[in-house]
Amino acid sequence: MSQNIPKPDRERAKKLRKVIRRHRYLYHVLDRQEISDEALDSLKHELSELERRFPKLITSDSPTQRVGGKPLDKFSKVRHTVRQWSFNDAFSEEEIREFDKRVRRMLLKELGRPSKIEYTCELKIDGFKTILTYKSGVLRVATTRGDGVIGEDVTQNVRTIESIPLRLERDIDVVVEGEIWMGKKAFAQLNKKRKKEGEPQFANPRNVAAGSIRQLDPKVAASRKLDSFIYDLASASVTLPQTQFKELKLLQELGFKVNPHFHLCKNIKEVISFWKSWARKRERQDYWIDGIVVKLNERTMQEKLGYTGKAPRYAIALKFPAEEVTTVVEDIVVQVGRTGALTPVAHLRPVTVAGSTVSRATLHNESEVHRLDVRTGDTVIIRKAGDIIPEVVEVLKDLRTGKEKKFTMPTACPACGGKVKKEVIGGKEGESAAHYCTNKNCFAQELEHIAHFVSKKAMNIDGMGEKVVAQLMNEGLIRDVADIYELKTGDLAALERFGERSAENLVEAIEKSKSVPLAKFLFGLGIRHVGIETAHLIAGNVAHITGGKEVRNVNDMARQFPKVSAQDWASVDGIGTTVAESLVEWFNNKNNTKLLKRLHSLGVTIVIPLKLHATRSKLQGKTFVLTGSLSSLSRDEAGEKIRAFGGKVSSSVSSQTDFVVAGGKPGSKYAQAKKLGVRIVNEQKFLKMLEE
């Protein structure tokens, strides 16, 4: 086949690509159509024939290459160039007003003056997050969110989505974030087809979107009629807009499909009005909406507030009121948690809520059971709090028959038979009572504790779910979390459902988990009241908490943390008295410190954030702007180091900028810094500052 492509054919292919891209954008992004589907198909067919005749005409951004990949054996892992975050949630008018007050307090502290605050509100689409990387305007990589640091490469599947451009309107480098979703009509058609073919139906469009993007064969994703909305410009080779509102406009100009219903609100009252209006009319859209996302409009303010361990401080997801349904309580069963807490759980007649089937709902504690007066056999209203956790909100007592059975908390642990202790929270009998199993060797407690320790958010031991933990405990191979690190392939290979290969894989995963960030390790210990956010707070303030004492490893934790008083723990902003007392109790328990020392001896190491050793860093509290290319590290890596040493990174130069780090070929920021008299340092000087 000749590769000497005649000039007319080359020019024709180029024009066809341009015209097809334009009509794709009109149809899939702007919802407009200037030519018929048949005419567009004819253009695509002509381009396909040209590329068949002259394969060298094929480009990675050609419209014919949307479904060009072969089925994969597995997805490869990709480290994100920009850290991925999730949003904190608000569920009421009171909570969003509290968010506004918190933002104002923090900005007053940062800027030293009251600020005029505006918010950009966007619809929160119930879909599947994706991160897209473009180089010189061409789509190179599409990934899943993963754990926020590492995701999976799903480029082949994402390329099948017509609303996602393979080439941008400008030849720039960008990383964008967005939501992949399936429309309600397409979802209904898919389920209708599956029912006809005798296949199980999907619960909701979000599950379909997530499942489709994680199919190894891109042809499956292509058949699902997926769509997208892009909402965030995470990084770019051009200057980022100074407001969220302008950022969304720029995304549209680049050729992305942006949800058109974003709105600039001048105050929190307008935010609440926007939220309420969309709660009423959300069902009119073809996509599922579960709330709105509220972001500070000004980028400089966003950068001042920064992030917590998992979420931005400048933004929040304001959820719509949860969907409520009625069902029948078939039984009330007590579960034993990792801290020994006994929790009554309502076993329900299965019912669909917000697109998923629910058969259980927590009743929290005895006080809640009494408050609701819920009994076995009752008809109840349940809802998903934040569309996540099912809970009983009301008993329909008018529907009682007289056969309903009252519930009482057991006096003995249902798992081990140990004595149950009742603790009253708040100091008044009946105000809120929690029950705990007093048997420290309770099988159920240790099972939950170990399962928590190995979970993804903690030590992340792949292949060691709760069933495997229970099996290992039943076989007497593990009694506590330290025993995990003494397991050998031979211990596992002979077990039921295990083989040589799966045993090797688990031992390999255990070995891999030995090096872990301090926050994940702290969270994995299962200390009462210490969630992942508190763990990050502790990890970021160890030097402050210990009065400057070194904590380099697990053994140091065992030595230093028992010396920390409740007042010292509580001196960290975000750690309250209850959490502080719990930390004191846990680290002063000799069995716990013995466990830490044993984990250390078995090779478990903690990765300490750099800033733990930098309380007197010259970078502390300084604002940096990076411009130009750095030779020894990427700008993202430089930014991480600045933050680790207590500094801040801004995307624009202002009078509040302390340093501009100028690499090769610096842009307009360099000139702006000179104009404002901001100190400019080269890469060598910057590296020296880090060393100092």
Side-chain angles (χ1 to χ4, degrees):
M1 189 176 290
S2 175
Q3 289 303 299
N4 296 320
I5 307 169
K7 185 176 179 181
D9 290 319
R10 252 194 340 265
E11 292 297 323
R12 180 67 175 171
K14 185 177 179 181
K15 286 186 176 181
L16 282 169
R17 283 195 296 268
K18 185 176 181 180
V19 170
I20 293 168
R21 274 201 300 268
R22 178 176 176 273
H23 286 291
R24 174 210 65 83
Y25 179 75
L26 288 172
Y27 184 84
H28 293 284
V29 178
L30 301 184
D31 202 22
R32 283 166 44 198
Q33 191 170 6
E34 290 184 354
I35 63 175
S36 67
D37 290 344
E38 291 81 4
L40 184 57
D41 286 343
S42 179
L43 294 174
K44 289 178 181 177
H45 179 71
E46 183 184 350
L47 177 60
S48 182
E49 282 298 302
L50 275 171
E51 291 177 347
R52 184 186 63 78
R53 284 167 51 207
F54 306 108
K56 281 190 176 179
L57 284 175
I58 299 173
T59 59
S60 64
D61 60 319
S62 172
T64 64
Q65 299 303 297
R66 285 196 176 272
V67 194
K70 296 178 181 178
L72 302 170
D73 294 323
K74 63 178 182 178
F75 293 111
S76 59
K77 303 292 184 183
V78 177
R79 181 173 289 275
H80 296 305
T81 56
V82 179
R83 174 80 160 84
Q84 297 300 305
W85 309 91
S86 55
F87 292 108
N88 288 324
D89 293 330
F91 300 99
S92 65
E93 188 172 327
E94 292 73 26
E95 287 180 338
I96 194 64
R97 288 188 184 279
E98 182 53 41
F99 165 76
D100 180 56
K101 290 176 184 175
R102 190 162 61 247
V103 165
R104 291 176 183 278
R105 281 198 304 270
M106 288 189 289
L107 284 174
L108 181 61
K109 183 178 178 181
E110 288 288 334
L111 302 175
R113 54 178 171 77
S115 304
K116 181 186 176 184
I117 292 175
E118 292 181 331
Y119 294 103
T120 294
C121 292
E122 304 162 47
L123 301 187
K124 187 175 183 300
I125 312 302
D126 191 11
F128 183 74
K129 184 172 183 178
T130 187
I131 300 95
L132 311 175
T133 300
Y134 290 77
K135 295 291 183 183
S136 299
V138 177
L139 177 63
R140 295 300 186 204
V141 183
T143 65
T144 63
R145 181 187 180 278
D147 64 359
V149 177
I150 294 174
E152 291 180 318
D153 186 338
V154 289
T155 310
Q156 285 194 176
N157 289 338
V158 169
R159 287 172 66 88
T160 69
I161 302 171
E162 289 282 352
S163 60
I164 290 179
L166 300 181
R167 173 176 282 279
L168 303 181
E169 295 301 307
R170 292 164 64 182
D171 295 341
I172 60 174
D173 297 349
V174 294
V175 177
V176 301
E177 300 165 15
E179 209 78 7
I180 293 170
W181 52 274
M182 172 176 268
K184 295 175 185 175
K185 291 176 184 175
F187 175 72
Q189 289 170 356
L190 177 62
N191 265 347
K192 186 178 180 181
K193 181 174 178 286
R194 290 177 69 85
K195 185 178 180 181
K196 188 177 180 180
E197 295 172 352
E199 294 181 316
Q201 297 183 54
F202 291 110
N204 57 60
R206 188 193 182 283
N207 288 357
V208 183
S212 301
I213 292 302
R214 299 201 74 258
Q215 290 285 334
L216 293 172
D217 187 350
K219 288 184 174 63
V220 176
S223 70
R224 294 280 172 84
K225 296 181 181 178
L226 299 176
D227 212 330
S228 71
F229 285 127
I230 304 301
Y231 55 76
D232 190 59
L233 189 56
S235 71
S237 58
V238 295
T239 303
L240 293 172
Q242 281 306 296
T243 68
Q244 178 66 19
F245 195 83
K246 289 180 180 177
E247 180 175 309
L248 293 168
K249 290 287 188 184
L250 176 57
L251 286 168
Q252 288 177 322
E253 292 166 13
L254 290 173
F256 292 108
K257 185 172 184 177
V258 174
N259 187 278
H261 302 295
F262 58 92
H263 183 68
L264 183 62
C265 297
K266 295 180 179 179
N267 50 52
I268 203 66
K269 185 179 178 181
E270 289 187 10
V271 170
I272 293 167
S273 177
F274 181 82
W275 173 58
K276 287 181 176 178
S277 70
W278 275 101
R280 292 191 298 269
K281 60 188 181 185
R282 56 176 164 156
E283 295 301 330
R284 302 175 200 168
Q285 305 303 315
D286 189 42
Y287 41 85
W288 281 23
I289 310 164
D290 59 1
I292 66 171
V293 175
V294 183
K295 300 177 185 174
L296 264 176
N297 190 43
E298 293 288 334
R299 181 176 295 278
T300 51
M301 291 183 181
Q302 293 180 6
E303 291 166 351
K304 286 291 181 186
L305 296 193
Y307 300 82
T308 64
K310 78 175 185 74
R313 291 189 177 93
Y314 59 82
I316 197 165
L318 179 53
K319 297 293 195 74
F320 293 135
E323 187 177 335
E324 297 184 346
V325 297
T326 61
T327 188
V328 174
V329 177
E330 295 182 332
D331 198 4
I332 298 176
V333 177
V334 173
Q335 290 184 348
V336 184
R338 60 184 168 84
T339 61
L342 272 59
T343 304
V345 176
H347 285 217
L348 309 166
R349 184 178 295 165
V351 64
T352 300
V353 190
S356 59
T357 302
V358 169
S359 58
R360 296 185 183 189
T362 179
L363 294 169
H364 301 291
N365 52 45
E366 184 183 44
S367 303
E368 184 69 1
V369 173
H370 290 165
R371 185 186 71 79
L372 291 166
D373 188 22
V374 61
R375 307 174 187 183
T376 301
D378 269 336
T379 299
V380 296
I381 297 173
I382 66 163
R383 71 178 173 205
K384 281 188 171 182
D387 294 333
I388 298 173
I389 305 167
E391 63 178 358
V392 176
V393 294
E394 187 179 347
V395 175
L396 300 178
K397 296 178 182 177
D398 291 344
L399 293 174
R400 281 180 174 167
T401 63
K403 295 181 180 179
E404 293 76 18
K405 295 179 182 177
K406 286 188 175 184
F407 168 81
T408 54
M409 288 293 289
T411 55
C413 174
C416 69
K419 187 178 178 182
V420 171
K421 179 180 69 173
K422 181 177 180 179
E423 288 185 8
V424 178
I425 303 168
K428 295 179 182 177
E429 181 66 33
E431 184 175 328
S432 183
H435 291 73
Y436 292 89
C437 171
T438 57
N439 177 13
K440 297 298 181 184
N441 298 313
C442 175
F443 181 90
Q445 282 185 57
E446 200 54 43
L447 169 62
E448 291 295 324
H449 179 231
I450 296 174
H452 173 79
F453 182 81
V454 302
S455 66
K456 192 171 184 179
K457 287 186 178 180
M459 303 302 282
N460 192 21
I461 301 180
D462 191 30
M464 199 170 182
E466 191 166 313
K467 287 183 179 178
V468 172
V469 172
Q471 184 181 8
L472 296 176
M473 290 180 72
N474 282 321
E475 294 290 341
L477 290 173
I478 60 173
R479 292 168 300 169
D480 59 30
V481 297
D483 288 338
I484 294 169
Y485 295 96
E486 293 187 331
L487 290 172
K488 303 291 186 293
T489 303
D491 299 329
L492 303 169
L495 298 179
E496 187 180 351
R497 295 192 300 276
F498 271 90
E500 192 73 26
R501 186 61 187 152
S502 57
E504 287 174 358
N505 288 342
L506 182 53
V507 169
E508 187 179 321
I510 291 169
E511 187 65 28
K512 186 180 176 182
S513 77
K514 282 184 176 180
S515 179
V516 62
L518 176 57
K520 289 172 78 78
F521 181 72
L522 283 165
F523 177 65
L525 293 176
I527 303 169
R528 196 173 168 194
H529 304 305
V530 176
I532 191 67
E533 286 302 303
T534 302
H536 275 287
L537 286 173
I538 295 169
N541 291 277
V542 170
H544 167 73
I545 291 165
T546 61
K549 300 289 192 308
E550 278 198 332
V551 176
R552 298 161 299 174
N553 53 49
V554 180
N555 220 21
D556 286 346
M557 283 177 61
R559 286 201 308 269
Q560 300 298 342
F561 281 11
K563 301 174 185 176
V564 180
S565 67
Q567 289 80 5
D568 289 333
W569 287 115
S571 67
V572 175
D573 188 23
I575 296 180
T577 305
T578 302
V579 177
E581 289 173 352
S582 181
L583 286 161
V584 168
E585 182 183 353
W586 198 93
F587 283 107
N588 279 275
N589 183 307
K590 290 183 179 178
N591 290 328
N592 292 335
T593 52
K594 194 182 295 182
L595 175 71
L596 291 175
K597 290 175 181 177
R598 188 163 162 234
L599 285 168
H600 175 78
S601 69
L602 290 167
V604 175
T605 61
I606 50 174
V607 180
I608 309 291
L610 283 173
K611 66 181 177 183
L612 301 188
H613 305 297
T615 53
R616 290 182 291 276
S617 164
K618 290 183 179 179
L619 278 64
Q620 187 80 28
K622 304 296 184 184
T623 300
F624 286 75
V625 171
L626 303 165
T627 183
S629 57
L630 304 176
S631 59
S632 58
L633 71 174
S634 70
R635 277 162 61 169
D636 284 339
E637 288 171 333
E640 286 177 11
K641 289 182 181 294
I642 290 167
R643 294 186 190 96
F645 284 102
K648 300 175 184 178
V649 181
S650 175
S651 62
S652 60
V653 180
S654 70
S655 57
Q656 294 178 326
T657 305
D658 294 294
F659 296 98
V660 167
V661 180
K665 296 182 180 178
S668 59
K669 296 173 186 177
Y670 183 89
Q672 181 70 4
K674 276 194 145 186
K675 181 180 177 182
L676 294 174
V678 174
R679 186 177 175 187
I680 299 171
V681 296
N682 60 23
E683 185 174 353
Q684 289 69 35
K685 177 64 178 174
F686 172 64
L687 293 173
K688 190 175 180 182
M689 290 171 73
L690 292 178
E691 288 174 8
E692 291 172 351

